[in-house]
Amino acid sequence: MAEIIQKDGTWVFDGDALRLTPGRDKNVSLLRKSLGELVVPLGALAGVSFEQGKKTGRLRLRLRDGSDPLLLATGGRLGEPHDPYQLAVESDRYGVAEYFVDEVRNALLLDQVPADPVDTYLLPGPSVPLSVSAGDGTASFDGEHIRLEWNWKTEDAKAAAGARTLALTDLVGVEWHPAVGLENGHLRFTVRNAPTKAPPKYDPNAVELWGFKKDPLMAMVAAAVQARLPHPARATAHEQLPKGQPEVPSPPVPTAEDDHDALLRRLRELGELHRTGVLTDEEFTLAKQAILKRM
């Protein structure tokens, strides 16, 4: 097991998953604190890195595309303070951070985890019910319906229709854009057969987020909704199927015998990597022991 404890948070790796717990320091983002502990399975990882700085370094996880509804809903627009997959590391813990990276990388190599995109969510997204107030309204989500309620700052044309309730089954998408500088952001829901080009200020299916107030919590609502919508990769694949052609069935779950054969193949591959000098004696021994334990 590898563990690193910092003011910014605590990361623990047990060989199968990483537990990311935000710190309680005042500088820790409200979004990270609200998300709470995240459990990231090893199979959701595409990579890990550590960058040293003069005073602090930074651990970074790179997830496989499509594995996390939070990253899908926010489109890579989460800034550094709010990104739960980054951890600030103090200079006296650089050695621990490098050891942590080595442990995760060895596990990725041992389990032969691919870095390509996935077509199913490997993380669950924020839990519901959930309600967030920001900008010109409040967005609430109970797992089946989104309710949008307006405040006194809402544009009259949008507020005139009153509170709005959207069924999850009527949605085809959700997008979140943070406020940048003085430019406003938004949380917008795309309703099936009802496209609109109206600015968020006038769109009854959107909450406008003020540019002068950096409030990232609407990203949680976007992620919770995204996690319960059909995965974009599967939806795209289904749309591309010729009419009348059935979907390709999922591959069967490997049996214990299949797993045993796979482990034997990994042992042979590790041996070849060791012979060619890719793995050191110590790395080969550790990896071999881990496989033998599983067998």
Side-chain angles (χ1 to χ4, degrees), residues 74-270:
T74 56
R77 292 180 288 269
L78 280 176
E80 189 171 279
H82 309 306
D83 188 343
Y85 304 115
Q86 298 188 30
L87 181 71
V89 179
E90 297 169 13
S91 58
D92 62 344
R93 307 300 285 172
Y94 282 1
V96 178
E98 290 170 349
Y99 171 76
F100 190 93
V101 167
D102 288 341
E103 287 292 292
V104 175
R105 285 179 176 171
N106 287 339
L108 289 170
L109 174 65
L110 181 61
D111 281 21
Q112 296 183 332
V113 177
D116 53 339
V118 296
D119 62 359
T120 187
Y121 297 122
L122 302 180
L123 284 89
S127 58
V128 295
L130 186 62
S131 183
V132 176
S133 296
D136 67 354
T138 297
S140 304
F141 180 49
D142 62 6
E144 296 182 355
H145 296 87
I146 299 102
R147 183 170 175 80
L148 303 177
E149 299 176 272
W150 314 116
N151 56 38
W152 64 273
K153 295 171 285 188
T154 308
E155 182 68 25
D156 291 343
K158 186 161 84 170
R164 189 166 180 79
T165 299
L166 305 172
L168 182 67
T169 52
D170 291 336
L171 299 185
V172 294
V174 56
E175 62 179 16
W176 172 83
H177 283 265
V180 179
L182 295 179
E183 183 180 346
N184 292 346
H186 66 264
L187 171 69
R188 190 198 300 268
F189 301 97
T190 304
V191 180
R192 184 177 288 105
N193 300 323
T196 179
K197 294 183 179 180
K201 183 176 183 178
Y202 302 103
D203 185 356
N205 298 325
V207 177
E208 187 177 36
L209 307 176
W210 309 132
F212 56 84
K213 185 178 181 182
K214 303 299 183 282
D215 191 340
L217 294 187
M218 280 294 181
M220 292 180 60
V221 178
V225 172
Q226 183 72 63
R228 290 159 178 84
L229 290 174
H231 194 284
R234 289 192 173 189
T236 302
H238 179 72
E239 290 170 0
Q240 291 175 348
L241 284 174
K243 187 176 181 180
Q245 179 177 328
E247 294 188 32
V248 178
S250 301
V253 177
T255 64
E257 184 178 354
D258 293 334
D259 291 340
H260 186 270
D261 291 341
L263 291 173
L264 287 176
R265 287 196 299 271
R266 291 178 191 176
L267 274 177
R268 289 194 292 269
E269 291 166 357
L270 286 172

Side-chain angles (χ1 to χ4, degrees), residues 102 106 109 270 274 277-289:
D102 288 341
N106 287 339
L109 174 65
L270 286 172
H274 181 231
V278 175
L279 294 178
T280 65
D281 292 344
E282 183 180 359
E283 290 171 337
F284 173 67
T285 300
L286 290 172
K288 182 175 70 173
Q289 288 175 349

